[in-house]
């Protein structure tokens, strides 16, 4: 059993009178793929937004422990520092690429903090100072590596907005990976993909896990979730209703009830997959 | 144009409708006129003028639709035209640079003076382009930084007798500081709200300049601002040994000063251009463009959005400050009247007309807008009307500016231009 990388404790998020997430606790372990599933409106994306600093939780703690010892309290860290210091990267449910910039430029922007440690160095680079040329070369090399990994090397100089949907999804993952994350949070990466693209995505995620990056995954495509996850957390109405290995979750009557409605306890898990 | 060609009857009907609308609009505006007579006002009827206008609209519409319907197959469409403008950009820019460098050799004093004015606006346009074109932050108060730069030089030189070249960096620095000061409160604002606050900021600076009489001289402004010197050599006809004419043993002529000022502003403008082109290819400039494309994604990638926005404001303002200092030394006199909202609007119009983010486009637009208004001085009151119409036509034909499209800042192979419709315009 590996040590927990991310531990969420009693996380609560209220918007006015609406409680989107209530007293949620779960852990994601290092070098594992942890999936967060649940019906629409269960609060999955809210949890993601709390972890990545887009929302400030009403109460509760989110701790990130890097394997080398440093740890961060994400609930009180400024938004951009979560990506920069705590090394949490994310993608978005509705793709957010820099559409008017090329594929390569997208990956270069992702390495902003390596290329420009501070404003002074950024301004010195105007006059050719600060060894910028060398770091830029390294950044292009890293971008090239990831473009090869996601099969987009041939489109490096095309605007990101002109790529087909599936390629945009892969580019967004490559861009997140260029920030050297310890934890990669993916919000429905398989949405809108055809079965072949879903398979490719699963392989890519397994390769990323193999490279030492842990993954937190929101996904509705149960095929992908069941195939690649090491651990599944099921949410419904902002609460955790099940937590365990894919096989355990699949057999949990509460999960089936949440997906198909109460009183349908004789339904098989296969139907739950289809319903999702 | 994507409109489908119409049949002759439809064209005739369309033109007739246009003429009817023109008639409705102009019947009272042009057809009737009040003239003062000995016993009060009399109504003069000008049916002939009205007929001419309505007829012009009818024929114009007829020709336009007819051209669209029976255009020869090989005629250039706006798309092809855009393509050729884009391709010619490669040699147009160096050509303009050569022309700008050589202008004082063959032009007279008046043309050089207009050249100085045009280059001042080119520089302002390039400075604002950093904020609006690259970072996508709509700034309607850019003139504030121009004013800060101008008053910095005016006050430093008249109070402490600082020279132009010593004060220039100070003026830029102060303007940059004000850029950051403006940046802080507007960090959370976007789009329209940002535009309104920056507009207010521009007005506040102007009102302060008017009312703080003890410091700025109020509406009277600051006069007797020293002219710039070339390594300590002055440009005047006094015959002193430290004047340009005496030192080089040539006869004094006022043109010498104009030529000198011309090259100063050309140098400053080219500095602005060089810095912005360079920054575009560096992480800071790329972060600005990413900010324009998607601020939320920037934050998710660990980019400090606050610092990035503030640097855009500060660097844009710095160049505004440089231009302001130059303005003060050229005029020898500054007053709040020179820094009204119309100046901000003019610079923004130059940036938008030229094409957001395009250096060449902004330079061309400044040439057309500032040089054009000078050229049409003979038309007196019709000048602005012609100008407004030209702007409207331009924005209808090329909504993304003269030179649209974006060249990537880094590429693996040969860089390909990105079509303008993919590039975000920024929502602040």
């Amino acid at each position: 059993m590996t040590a927990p990388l991310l531990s969420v404790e009693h996380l609560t998020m209220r918007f006015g009178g609406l409680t989107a997430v209530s007293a949620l606790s779960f852990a994601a372990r290092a070098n594992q793929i942890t999936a967060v599933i649940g019906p629409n409106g269960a609060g999955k994306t809210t949890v993601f937004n709390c972890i990545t600093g887009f929302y400030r939780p009403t109460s509760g703690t989110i701790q990130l422990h890097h394997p080398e010892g440093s740890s961060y309290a994400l609930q009180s860290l400024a938004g951009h520092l979560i990506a920069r210091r705590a090394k949490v990267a994310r993608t978005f449910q509705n793709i957010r690429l820099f559409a008017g910039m090329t594929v390569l430029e997208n990956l270069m922007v992702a390495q902003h903090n390596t290329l420009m440690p501070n404003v002074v160095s950024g301004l010195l680079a105007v006059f050719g100072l600060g060894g910028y040329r060398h770091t830029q070369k390294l950044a292009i090399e890293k971008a090239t590596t990831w473009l090869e990994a996601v099969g987009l090397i041939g489109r490096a100089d095309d605007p990101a907005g002109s790529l087909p949907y599936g390629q945009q999804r892969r580019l967004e993952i490559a861009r997140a990976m260029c920030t050297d994350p310890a934890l990669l949070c993916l919000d429905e990466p398989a949405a809108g993909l055809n079965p072949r693209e879903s398979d490719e995505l699963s392989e890519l995620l397994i390769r990323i896990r193999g490279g030492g990056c842990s993954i937190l995954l929101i996904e509705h495509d149960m095929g992908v979730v069941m195939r690649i996850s090491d651990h599944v957390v099921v949410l419904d109405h902002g609460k955790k209703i099940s937590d365990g290995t894919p096989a355990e979750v699949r057999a949990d009557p509460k999960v089936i009830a949440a997906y198909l409605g109460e009183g349908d306890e004789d339904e098989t898990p296969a139907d739950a997959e289809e319903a999702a | 144009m994507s409109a489908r060609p119409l049949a002759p009857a439809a064209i005739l009907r369309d033109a007739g409708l246009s003429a009817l609308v023109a008639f409705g609009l102009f019947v009272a505006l042009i057809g009737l006129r009040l003239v003062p007579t000995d016993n009060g006002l009399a109504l003069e009827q000008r049916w002939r003028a009205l007929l001419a206008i309505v007829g012009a609209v009818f024929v114009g519409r007829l020709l336009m639709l007819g051209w669209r319907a029976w255009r020869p197959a090989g005629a250039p469409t706006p798309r092809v035209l855009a393509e050729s403008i884009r391709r010619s950009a490669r040699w147009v820019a160096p050509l303009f640079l050569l022309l700008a460098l050589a202008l004082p050799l063959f032009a007279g004093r008046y043309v050089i003076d207009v050249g100085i004015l045009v280059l001042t606006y080119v520089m302002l346009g390039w400075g604002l382009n950093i904020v609006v074109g690259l970072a996508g932050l709509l700034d309607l108060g850019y003139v504030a930084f121009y004013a800060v730069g101008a008053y910095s030089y005016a006050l430093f030189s008249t109070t402490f007798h600082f020279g132009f070249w010593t004060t220039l960096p100070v003026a830029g620095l102060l303007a940059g500081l004000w850029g950051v000061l403006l940046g802080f409160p507007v960090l959370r604002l976007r789009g329209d709200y940002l535009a309104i606050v920056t507009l207010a900021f521009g007005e506040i600076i102007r009102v302060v300049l008017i009312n703080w009489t003890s410091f700025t001289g109020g509406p009277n402004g600051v006069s007797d601002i020293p002219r710039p010197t070339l390594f300590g050599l002055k440009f005047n006809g006094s015959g002193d040994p430290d004047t340009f004419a005496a030192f080089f043993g040539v006869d004094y002529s006022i043109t010498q000063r104009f030529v000198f000022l011309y090259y100063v502003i050309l140098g400053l403008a080219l500095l602005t251009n060089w810095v912005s082109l360079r920054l575009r290819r560096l992480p800071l400039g790329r972060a600005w463009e990413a900010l324009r494309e998607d601020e939320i994604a920037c934050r998710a990638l660990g980019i400090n959005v606050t610092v990035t926005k503030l640097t855009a404001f500060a660097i844009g303002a710095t160049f505004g400050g440089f231009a302001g200092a130059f303005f003060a030394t050229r005029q020898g006199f500054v007053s709040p009247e020179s820094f009204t909202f119309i100046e901000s609007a003019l610079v923004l119009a130059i940036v938008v007309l030229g094409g957001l983010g395009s250096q060449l486009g902004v330079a061309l637009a400044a040439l057309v807008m500032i040089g054009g208004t000078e050229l049409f001085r003979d038309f007196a009151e019709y000048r602005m009307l012609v100008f407004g119409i030209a702007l409207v036509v331009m924005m209808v034909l090329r909504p993304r500016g003269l030179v649209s499209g974006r060249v990537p800042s880094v590429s693996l192979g040969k860089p390909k231009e990105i079509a303008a419709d993919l590039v975000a315009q920024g929502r602040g």
Side-chain angles (χ1 to χ4, degrees):
Chain A
M1 204 66 160
T2 43
L5 175 77
L6 176 81
S7 37
V8 175
E9 300 283 345
H10 303 290
L11 179 72
T12 300
M13 183 75 213
R14 281 194 203 96
F15 299 101
L18 178 85
T19 306
V21 178
S22 128
L24 173 70
S25 300
F26 71 92
R29 295 183 183 281
N31 296 315
Q32 283 199 350
I33 296 177
T34 307
V36 179
I37 62 169
N40 284 328
K44 307 179 295 289
T45 300
T46 306
V47 172
F48 256 42
N49 283 339
C50 288
I51 293 172
T52 50
F54 282 87
Y55 294 158
R56 189 125 298 185
T58 315
S59 65
T61 59
I62 307 168
Q63 286 284 332
L64 190 84
H65 309 279
H66 283 185
E68 72 270 23
S70 47
S71 68
Y72 301 90
L74 300 189
Q75 78 278 9
S76 56
L77 202 59
H80 69 278
L81 291 180
I82 289 179
R84 187 174 182 169
R85 300 240 177 89
K87 295 283 173 200
V88 178
R90 73 168 291 177
T91 65
F92 294 86
Q93 195 172 346
N94 44 345
I95 306 172
R96 285 185 172 274
L97 289 169
F98 306 123
M101 303 174 87
T102 65
V103 169
L104 179 64
E105 281 181 306
N106 269 271
L107 301 191
M108 295 296 280
V109 172
Q111 300 177 63
H112 181 78
N113 290 321
T114 327
L115 288 166
M116 191 182 111
N118 54 56
V119 177
V120 178
S121 72
L123 291 177
L124 281 179
V126 174
F127 308 102
L129 301 171
Y132 170 69
R133 210 174 275 263
H134 181 65
T135 35
Q136 156 136 319
K137 212 179 124 220
L138 293 181
I140 292 178
E141 271 167 26
K142 186 197 264 180
T144 315
T145 315
W146 276 108
L147 284 179
E148 274 161 1
V150 298
L152 287 175
I153 191 73
R155 308 218 51 176
D157 295 333
D158 291 329
S162 71
L163 298 186
Y165 190 80
Q167 295 189 352
Q168 292 199 6
R169 284 257 174 233
R170 294 212 297 277
L171 176 58
E172 209 188 13
I173 294 173
R175 186 178 69 178
M177 287 311 293
C178 276
T179 63
D180 287 326
L183 177 68
L184 174 65
C185 301
L186 301 171
D187 198 344
E188 296 196 22
L193 300 189
N194 64 36
R196 197 174 56 85
E197 287 174 324
S198 291
D199 287 346
E200 285 170 5
L201 176 78
S202 304
E203 278 164 33
L204 175 66
L205 295 189
I206 289 168
R207 251 184 296 150
I208 288 174
R209 179 183 59 184
C213 177
S214 319
I215 295 174
L216 193 63
L217 176 75
I218 292 181
E219 191 46 70
H220 277 305
D221 185 332
M222 287 304 143
V224 172
V225 170
M226 293 303 162
R227 194 159 355 119
I228 65 171
S229 306
D230 301 298
H231 181 110
V232 180
V233 177
V234 190
L235 299 188
D236 190 26
H237 298 297
K239 293 194 180 73
K240 185 167 83 176
I241 56 168
S242 185
D243 188 346
T245 63
E248 286 165 6
V249 167
R250 203 190 259 263
D252 192 330
K254 271 189 279 181
V255 177
I256 298 159
Y259 271 94
L260 297 177
E262 306 290 343
D264 288 333
E265 267 145 37
D266 53 353
E267 293 282 356
T268 61
D271 293 321
E273 278 178 33
E274 276 162 32
Chain B
M1 291 284 154
S2 52
R4 219 147 35 92
L6 300 166
I11 290 175
L12 217 60
R13 203 184 55 195
D14 190 301
L17 267 174
S18 306
L20 202 68
V21 170
F23 178 80
L25 265 176
F26 294 121
V27 64
L29 278 175
I30 290 176
L32 298 173
R33 185 186 184 197
L34 282 175
V35 280
T37 58
D38 293 338
N39 35 359
L41 291 168
L43 205 57
E44 187 196 346
Q45 299 176 348
R46 301 195 297 174
W47 301 126
R48 200 171 293 173
L50 181 66
L51 193 71
I53 290 273
V54 172
V57 167
F58 180 76
V59 173
R61 185 76 188 159
L62 207 62
L63 286 177
M64 194 178 126
L65 292 174
W67 166 251
R68 232 183 249 166
W70 293 292
R71 178 169 44 203
T77 58
R79 178 132 222 126
V80 176
L81 274 179
E83 197 59 46
S84 61
I85 289 178
R86 198 171 297 157
R87 244 180 289 119
S88 55
R90 192 181 300 273
W91 54 265
V92 165
L95 190 80
F96 269 91
L97 181 61
L98 270 179
L99 210 68
L101 280 171
L103 184 80
L105 299 180
F106 55 82
R109 198 185 122 190
Y110 172 71
V111 174
I112 294 175
D113 203 29
V114 172
I116 292 172
L117 194 67
V118 169
L119 281 173
T120 312
Y121 280 94
V122 169
M123 179 169 176
L124 285 171
W126 279 341
L128 185 62
N129 205 6
I130 294 176
V131 185
V132 182
L134 291 185
L137 303 162
L138 185 52
D139 185 351
L140 287 181
Y142 194 60
V143 75
F145 310 122
Y146 191 42
V148 169
Y151 270 83
S152 301
Y153 175 61
L155 293 173
F156 269 107
S157 64
T158 52
T159 320
F160 303 112
H161 305 288
F162 281 12
F164 176 71
W165 297 107
T166 7
T167 326
L168 188 67
V170 179
L173 213 67
L174 281 173
L177 194 72
W178 280 98
V180 174
L181 279 181
L182 164 69
F184 265 113
V186 302
L187 277 172
R188 286 161 194 285
L189 303 178
R190 301 162 147 267
D192 314 348
Y193 304 99
L194 174 73
I196 289 168
V197 175
T198 52
L199 188 146
F201 180 77
E203 285 301 288
I204 287 169
I205 294 273
R206 194 175 62 88
V207 170
V208 167
L209 290 178
I210 292 177
N211 290 297
W212 196 357
T213 322
S214 59
F215 183 60
T216 63
N220 297 329
V222 183
S223 50
D224 293 326
I225 300 169
R227 304 291 184 163
T229 55
L230 175 69
F231 298 110
L233 296 176
K234 294 183 188 119
F235 288 88
N236 62 44
S238 65
D240 293 339
D242 64 345
T243 63
F244 178 83
F247 188 84
F248 287 100
V250 292
D251 288 333
Y252 171 73
S253 115
I254 192 144
T255 313
Q256 286 162 3
R257 197 179 78 207
F258 279 98
V259 171
F260 175 61
L261 283 173
Y262 178 85
Y263 280 118
V264 168
I265 187 64
L266 183 63
L268 285 174
L270 288 178
L271 176 78
T272 314
N273 185 34
W274 180 75
V275 170
S276 3
L277 283 180
R278 188 106 184 106
L279 275 172
R280 252 203 93 223
R281 315 184 118 257
L282 292 173
L284 187 57
R286 260 199 300 268
W288 288 340
E289 292 203 81
L291 200 65
R292 177 193 67 203
E293 297 284 327
D294 196 324
E295 186 175 330
I296 287 174
C298 278
R299 215 178 110 184
L301 293 173
I303 293 174
N304 190 337
V305 173
T306 308
V307 169
T308 310
K309 276 190 184 177
L310 287 182
T311 49
F313 271 120
I315 292 175
T318 303
F319 289 116
F322 285 156
F326 175 82
F327 174 79
T329 194
R330 177 181 95 107
Q331 300 285 92
F333 168 74
V334 291
S335 79
E337 263 174 55
S338 311
F339 307 107
T340 51
F341 169 66
I342 194 76
E343 292 293 313
S344 293
L346 188 59
V347 178
L348 187 67
I350 286 173
V351 174
V352 172
L353 191 69
L356 291 171
S358 156
Q359 298 293 102
L360 177 65
V362 168
L364 287 178
L367 183 68
V368 170
M369 300 244 335
I370 308 300
T373 40
E374 283 300 316
L375 207 67
F376 293 118
R377 218 163 247 296
D378 296 340
F379 290 94
E381 65 261 40
Y382 294 108
R383 182 163 73 128
M384 282 309 175
L385 180 72
V386 170
F387 215 68
I389 293 174
L391 272 185
V392 171
V393 170
M394 172 71 207
M395 288 333 275
V396 169
L397 289 181
R398 287 189 67 70
R400 299 296 295 252
L402 275 171
V403 183
S404 51
R406 174 180 176 273
V407 183
S409 63
V410 60
S411 64
L412 287 184
K414 200 167 166 291
K416 284 178 265 186
E417 178 145 317
I418 299 168
D421 36 346
L422 279 174
V423 182
Q425 284 168 305
R427 287 267 140 255

